[in-house]
Amino acid sequence: MASNLPQPLDAGLVPRFAGIPTFMRLPTVTNLTDVDIALVGVPWDGGTTNRAGARHGPREIRNMSSFMRRVHHVSGIAPYDLLRVGDVGDAPVNPIDLLDSLRQIEQFFSTIHRAGAIPISAGGDHLVTLPIFRAIAKDRPVGMVHFDAHSDTNDTYFGDNPYTHGTPFRRAVEEGLLDPHRTVQIGIRGSVYSADDLDFAKAAGIRIIQMEEFADIGVAATLEEVRRVVGTGPTYVSFDVDALDPCFAPGTGTPEIGGITTLEAQQMLRGLRGLHLVGGDVVEVSPPFDPSGNTALVGATMMFELLCVIAEAHAQRRTIASEQPAFAEN
């Protein structure tokens, strides 16, 4: 164990039901330069068009993350021995002002980005990914591996309102934050508003793996396609829990039957090892629709899966950078 790095509370010494809930039972951090990976809550669902409640997601995910242990049982990755990881709290939000919330969230993540930390976030509805992109993709667009039942590339809702949880990736492409040619969406399914709902995404170059295709080709072939699409460039991972069948995650705003299983999702997240990962989020956990807490447990587990592959990727980049020869100035 790298004792100089922050470690989670040991459940063998401090029971899981005791202490202040934090992501993965890690220390809370106020100085962002003290972490390499910042675990962040975004308790906001002002972009939700129907069943609200994802604003309560971060708190319950923190609670359920007490079930996570230190080492991944398949990969053997021990993220807390690789990098400094901490809970940096929640992004500030304004529950009655959508534009102000987008501004505040962007500012908070800009501070994280300037400090050199990689964010892994718990939402919140899916609109929160847009201000995160505005913070971390200003200098160059990112690619994305996107797990979801919905493409989230619609244009407007309820008149000409451009900002909802159904529009973030259309806005991100339009703003030059998301490279559509390096974006793959997995698990898309369900009835649509009109036959042309996916036309923007397809025309922009986004690779859409609808649920029916995923069921045909399986996890391994899907991962091959992911690697082909995103390549070696900086890549963000966004995991909407409604990508899962609602029998696994009923506590979400827009459930769609016929989704992927939790095991398939875990296998795909584990299969992202080796990509140039620069951040990720788990969104749309809505605890009011699942009093059992199972959906929050799913959210915490997917967050841990993300943490493992992102920590390994970042640690490897740092090792490579440290081994580069230094050239003296003439």
Side-chain angles (χ1 to χ4, degrees), residues 105-119:
I105 295 167
E106 178 185 352
Q107 288 181 344
F108 189 77
F109 279 87
S110 292
T111 304
I112 293 171
H113 186 59
R114 286 194 301 270
I118 290 180

Side-chain angles (χ1 to χ4, degrees), residues 54-136:
R55 67 183 63 185
H56 302 291
R59 182 167 293 189
E60 292 307 313
I61 290 174
R62 280 187 173 95
N63 187 32
M64 285 300 188
S65 73
S66 66
F67 284 98
M68 302 301 107
R69 299 177 182 87
R70 294 185 57 259
V71 182
H72 195 285
H73 69 291
V74 175
S75 66
I77 297 172
Y80 316 112
D81 292 350
L82 296 175
L83 297 169
R84 300 171 301 164
V85 187
D87 186 332
V88 302
D90 289 343
V93 298
N94 184 337
I96 60 172
D97 190 325
L98 183 150
L99 293 179
D100 186 46
S101 285
L102 295 181
R103 179 187 62 80
Q104 291 194 62
I105 295 167
E106 178 185 352
Q107 288 181 344
F108 189 77
F109 279 87
S110 292
T111 304
I112 293 171
H113 186 59
R114 286 194 301 270
I118 290 180
I120 301 177
S121 312
D125 71 40
H126 222 153
L127 184 55
V128 305
T129 309
L130 178 61
I132 296 173
F133 278 179
R134 288 173 173 172
I136 71 171

Side-chain angles (χ1 to χ4, degrees), residues 101-179:
S101 285
L102 295 181
R103 179 187 62 80
Q104 291 194 62
I105 295 167
E106 178 185 352
Q107 288 181 344
F108 189 77
F109 279 87
S110 292
T111 304
I112 293 171
H113 186 59
R114 286 194 301 270
I118 290 180
I120 301 177
S121 312
D125 71 40
H126 222 153
L127 184 55
V128 305
T129 309
L130 178 61
I132 296 173
F133 278 179
R134 288 173 173 172
I136 71 171
K138 287 179 180 177
D139 300 328
R140 45 83 179 106
V142 296
M144 178 174 66
V145 183
H146 175 202
F147 298 89
D148 207 318
H150 314 99
S151 177
D152 293 346
T153 52
N154 291 94
D155 192 6
T156 59
Y157 282 72
F158 303 106
D160 60 354
N161 294 285
Y163 298 116
T164 77
H165 64 168
T167 67
F169 302 122
R170 186 166 185 146
R171 301 288 90 84
V173 170
E174 292 169 346
E175 294 179 23
L177 306 169
L178 176 65
D179 182 350

Side-chain angles (χ1 to χ4, degrees), residues 229-241:
V229 172
V230 303
T232 59
T235 301
Y236 188 90
V237 185
S238 190
F239 191 98
D240 186 328
V241 294

